[in-house]
Each structure stands twice: as C-alpha cells, then as structure tokens.
Amino acid sequence: MPQPFPAVVAHRGASASRAEHTRGAFEQALQQGADGLECDVRVSRDGQLVCVHDRRIDRTSNGRGAVSDLTVAEMAGVDFGSWHHPHEPEHGVLTLDELLGMLADLRNRPRLFVETKHPARYGGLVERKLAALLARHGLTTPRVRADAPVLMMSFAEAAVRRFKAAAPRVPTVLLLSQIRGVRRGGVLPTWADVAGPDVRLLRADPGFVSRVAALGRDTYCWTVDEPADIELCKRSGVRYVATNRPDATRSHLDDPDLARFGSVAE
C-alpha cells in the first residue's frame, strides 16, 4: 500500500513526551505510528557517532562537557532522561550504531534521517564516519533510491557534498533556514536530493514546495507541530514532516477536523 503523504518523521524521537535522542524516545515514536525517525549525530572523543544535538551534553543530561571531549564510556553513566521527566532516567548516550541495530530487526522498518551537526571540531570526519557505518550495516546500496532506509541531512552544503561523494546512492537532504538566490526557484545542487526548509519559510512562501516538485525533488519540512502548519504542509505537497509529536501529527493528518481545537496539547 502506498505511504500517505506527508510521512510523519519523529524529530529526535517522540521528543515532546520523552527525552530527545534516547532509546525510549525512539521506541515511543514507533509506538505512536511514526513513518520515520530523525536524529542528530556528533563524533565523540573516541571516534563514535553519538545521537546528540548540541555541541555539549549539558542541556540534555546531568553531565557536562563537549561531546568531542568525551568518550562513549565516559558518557555511559550520565543520565540523559531525567532532565525531561524526573522519573525516567536513561543512562548512557545512544550511539548511532545502537540505533541502527535497534531498527534492523523491525518488520516495518522506519526511514532514518541522520543530520550531521556543524561546525564540528573534526570537520568532515563525521560524514566519513557516517558513510562507513552505514556501509557496515549494508545501507549504502539501496536497490531503489526512493526506498532507501537512511537519508543524510545537513545545513552545511560542504557536508552534504562530502557525504554524497562517499555514498552516492544514499539520498541527501539540504536543510534550509533561509531561501535565497536560485533556491527561491526550487533549484538544488546535484548532490542534494531533497529540500529541507524550516516551516516558517513555507508560511512565507508555500509555493516553494511546488517549485521544488516541478524540478523532480521532494521536500522535508521541520519542525511541524501546530495544526495550521500540518495543514499547510499537506496542502503544499510536502513529502516529509518532522515533528516532536508524531502521535498528534498523525491524528491530525487522519482527521483534519482536529484543527478546530487549536494548538496541539503538550
């Protein structure tokens, strides 16, 4: 059965209800019916890709320090869950390798959108590490690109270009916080497969999605939690919506009349 549009992508997991980037957040996202999962990755001091958004772990754990200064072993005893819900501790940083292993045995495997974070101390190492890890998991040679289990994303054009050179069959998303120049016409570089605008850009220019589509590309929009934004993405033809609330977003897509209730509840 064809997947309905737009597909619901859980932003850092079900991050409105569980601590972001934890195993519990991703498990709950799957329980809530997410079609895909999104995660950010950085390189730890011992060269592993870990699922952390910020340069430091201070905001999302009871530990302190830059990810690039800490090993996975040093982050093993750190609580990444209680900051969000005091009674839900989750110790140890989640590595991307662990997340891929968690998804490997699922019958209906969700697509995984992996964002490499920049600027980073190790520069292009994060893209090289990502390409190598995906290759070890057998994820760099999808038979059909449209069904690829993993997509790579970044705001940094150099990062997307580097990754595409290393893993040309893995789809890439160029994330956009502004639309300027040729991008206004929906034009993407040859090494970017999907446009990734902030939802605020679509509010100002909803026609951007159709211009991208006219050139044969899909759109990934972030971060879409409000009913009006969900409706905007659906009307505009957005292919993927990243949301902190996959359950509420899925319910709204299935029942547009929910818009009359206003903002999605916490």
Side-chain angles (χ1 to χ4, degrees):
M1 177 181 296
Q3 183 171 283
F5 283 31
V8 175
V9 179
H11 183 243
R12 308 178 199 173
S15 53
S17 51
R18 295 293 295 268
E20 66 184 60
H21 285 131
T22 58
R23 179 178 289 270
F26 291 116
E27 290 175 342
Q28 187 153 345
L30 296 176
Q31 293 168 6
Q32 291 180 357
D35 302 302
L37 306 175
E38 184 268 355
C39 70
D40 305 287
V41 294
R42 292 183 176 273
V43 181
S44 65
R45 196 179 78 192
D46 53 337
Q48 296 196 55
L49 292 176
V50 295
C51 300
V52 179
H53 177 273
D54 301 354
R55 187 180 70 86
R56 300 176 61 88
I57 65 171
D58 303 39
R59 177 180 65 87
T60 56
S61 79
N62 64 353
R64 294 182 61 82
V67 173
S68 59
D69 287 334
L70 299 167
T71 66
V72 170
E74 289 170 332
M75 290 184 274
V78 175
D79 178 5
F80 284 85
S82 295
W83 68 272
H84 193 282
H85 285 305
H87 303 298
E88 294 181 353
E90 289 209 36
H91 289 89
V93 70
L94 181 67
T95 68
L96 182 59
D97 191 34
E98 291 171 333
L99 179 56
L100 290 171
M102 170 183 158
L103 302 179
D105 296 329
L106 296 179
R107 176 175 297 179
N108 296 313
R109 181 173 184 153
R111 304 190 87 180
L112 181 63
F113 295 73
V114 182
E115 180 184 344
T116 62
K117 301 303 293 182
H118 289 272
R121 171 183 296 182
Y122 300 125
L125 180 62
V126 62
E127 284 78 40
R128 295 195 298 273
K129 288 276 188 183
L130 177 58
L133 179 61
L134 295 181
R136 288 200 298 274
H137 282 263
L139 299 173
T140 54
T141 55
R143 287 180 293 179
V144 180
R145 181 176 295 181
D147 296 330
V150 178
L151 291 84
M152 176 273 181
M153 310 191 298
S154 183
F155 287 97
E157 294 196 3
V160 181
R161 186 171 62 249
R162 281 193 299 260
F163 180 83
K164 179 61 79 172
R169 295 178 64 181
V170 177
T172 54
V173 183
L174 179 60
L175 296 172
L176 302 168
S177 57
Q178 54 187 347
I179 302 174
R180 298 186 299 185
V182 297
R183 301 286 179 268
R184 291 186 184 277
V187 178
L188 295 177
T190 56
W191 35 262
D193 301 300
V194 178
D198 183 341
V199 70
R200 290 173 292 188
L201 301 179
L202 293 194
R203 293 176 196 155
D205 184 9
F208 175 72
V209 179
S210 62
R211 296 195 297 274
V212 170
L215 296 175
R217 309 294 180 90
D218 285 326
T219 302
Y220 168 101
C221 189
W222 55 276
T223 303
V224 183
D225 290 334
E226 297 300 323
D229 289 336
I230 298 168
E231 285 297 304
L232 170 63
C233 289
K234 186 175 181 178
R235 288 196 311 270
S236 301
V238 169
R239 178 68 178 84
Y240 309 101
V241 293
T243 176
N244 297 311
R245 303 179 174 93
D247 53 349
T249 300
R250 168 63 66 210
S251 294
H252 183 90
L253 288 170
D254 291 343
D255 183 5
D257 288 340
L258 290 176
R260 67 182 183 272
F261 296 117
S263 297
V264 178
E266 290 289 346

